[in-house]
Amino acid sequence: MDEVAGAIADPVRRHILVLLRDGRLSAGEVAERFAISRPAVSRHLRVLRQSGLVRAELVGRQRFYTLDPGPFTELIAWLTPFVRPSGWEHHLDALETEVYRTRRERRDAAADSRKEGTA
């Protein structure tokens, strides 16, 4: 988890991950989108590869990178308890509770009326 958190701490690496979200890109295609040098982009790609967030495939003389979201799982699990539900989520949870309560009351009332009818 520490490697993943360290890898996404840099804004250039986060931008690279966003680019790779849409599909595989060559190292050159990634570098074209930045004002920094190609060697600097290569270093960022290496950090992402070492953290497991991207995979590299060598095709001829080109290296293609693809996103591997698997390593995010542990980080997401750790972060989830810190996220509070938004106002809408809270209201929808309350609505769901009310719907289940109403269904239960109707079911219980129907069961009571059947018992009274058989007595």
Side-chain angles (χ1 to χ4, degrees):
M1 179 175 72
D2 290 342
E3 268 190 353
V4 172
I8 64 173
D10 185 276
V12 172
R13 291 193 286 265
R14 288 193 306 267
H15 188 72
I16 291 171
L17 292 171
V18 170
L19 293 173
L20 294 175
R21 192 174 49 191
D22 296 329
R24 111 181 166 158
L25 293 173
S26 70
E29 291 170 321
V30 172
E32 288 172 357
R33 292 178 166 90
F34 294 94
I36 59 177
S37 69
R38 284 182 181 253
V41 171
S42 289
R43 286 190 293 276
H44 286 295
L45 287 167
R46 184 180 38 204
V47 169
L48 291 170
R49 194 174 64 243
Q50 289 172 341
S51 70
L53 291 170
V54 299
R55 281 183 265 130
E57 176 189 358
L58 195 59
V59 178
R61 290 180 33 188
Q62 282 192 311
R63 188 177 299 265
F64 287 91
Y65 290 88
T66 55
L67 180 67
D68 183 358
F72 283 117
T73 305
E74 186 179 355
L75 184 60
I76 291 168
W78 186 82
L79 288 171
T80 299
F82 295 98
V83 180
R84 290 193 174 113
S86 70
W88 276 108
E89 290 174 357
H90 177 72
H91 292 299
L92 291 173
D93 287 346
L95 176 62
E96 182 181 34
T97 300
E98 186 63 25
V99 166
Y100 283 122
R101 185 186 62 77
T102 303
R103 285 181 183 167
R104 187 178 60 244
E105 287 174 357
R106 286 183 181 170
R107 187 182 61 236
D108 292 348
D112 288 345
S113 67
R114 281 195 300 269
K115 287 180 185 177
E116 289 175 6
T118 59

